[in-house]
């Protein structure tokens, strides 16, 4: 008789593979993740993402919101394949989401590593324009009081 491979631990193992990382504790990174998920699922002009940025940044919300929209559009255009995102309510992150947050957080301090991660994520050799937008987005978060932890 063989052991059954279906059971309660199978679902947990599958979840761990599909969503290998926990959401970050950093409030800036959590806001960024929410924006990425909302725009990825509902489009660049998602009202929930805009509202979250208004709530977090007040009247200066436009700069980080527009930069995130630009980054999402540039990554979508440059990527050689799909970039997996989870639903906004999920407490764990996909590997791609984790990489995007790390890329943005590292762009101002370690651009060489951020570029390497970005080219790997997108599956392209050059991603300088996308990296410049990621750097500007990280600076916007820092300037408005929510620096991203690398």
């Amino acid at each position: 008789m063989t052991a059954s491979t279906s059971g309660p631990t199978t679902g947990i193992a599958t979840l761990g593979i599909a969503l290998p990382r926990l959401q970050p504790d950093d409030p800036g990174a959590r806001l960024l993740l929410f924006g990425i998920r909302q725009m990825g699922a509902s489009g660049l002009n998602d009202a929930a993402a805009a509202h979250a940025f208004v709530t977090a940044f007040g009247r200066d919300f436009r700069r980080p919101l527009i930069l995130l929209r630009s980054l999402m559009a540039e990554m979508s255009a440059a990527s050689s394949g799909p970039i997996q995102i989870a639903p906004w309510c999920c407490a764990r992150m996909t590997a791609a989401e984790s990489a995007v947050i790390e890329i943005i957080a590292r762009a101002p301090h370690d651009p060489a590593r951020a570029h390497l991660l970005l080219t790997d994520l997108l599956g392209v050799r050059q991603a300088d324009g996308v990296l410049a937008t990621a750097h500007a987005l990280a600076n916007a978060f820092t300037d408005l009081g929510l620096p991203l932890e690398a």
Side-chain angles (χ1 to χ4, degrees):
M1 205 161 180
T2 60
S4 173
T5 58
S6 63
T9 58
T10 303
I12 294 170
T14 303
L15 180 64
I17 292 168
L19 302 165
R21 309 246 193 270
L22 290 174
Q23 277 194 13
D25 292 329
D26 173 37
R30 289 178 77 89
L31 174 64
L32 181 60
L33 178 62
F34 178 77
I36 290 167
R37 286 177 171 179
Q38 282 299 116
M39 289 181 194
S42 301
L44 298 179
N45 293 317
D46 181 72
H51 181 264
F53 275 59
V54 168
T55 303
F57 296 120
R59 66 183 189 160
D60 296 324
F61 77 97
R62 284 180 188 85
R63 180 175 159 216
L65 181 63
I66 289 170
L67 286 168
L68 180 56
R69 287 175 177 164
S70 298
L71 180 69
M72 296 289 287
E74 290 174 7
M75 286 193 315
S76 178
S79 180
S80 65
I83 299 172
Q84 291 185 327
I85 58 170
W88 68 267
C89 59
C90 191
R92 299 184 65 87
M93 295 188 296
T94 67
E97 291 170 332
S98 179
V100 170
I101 291 172
E102 185 174 352
I103 289 162
I104 296 166
R106 287 188 180 276
H109 311 291
D110 192 356
R113 181 176 170 104
H115 187 266
L116 183 64
L117 290 169
L118 184 59
T119 57
D120 186 49
L121 175 70
L122 299 178
V124 298
R125 290 180 182 252
Q126 282 297 330
D128 294 334
V130 181
L131 183 61
T133 304
H135 188 164
L137 179 58
N139 286 343
F141 269 69
T142 300
D143 293 347
L144 295 174
L146 282 177
L148 302 168
E149 296 176 6

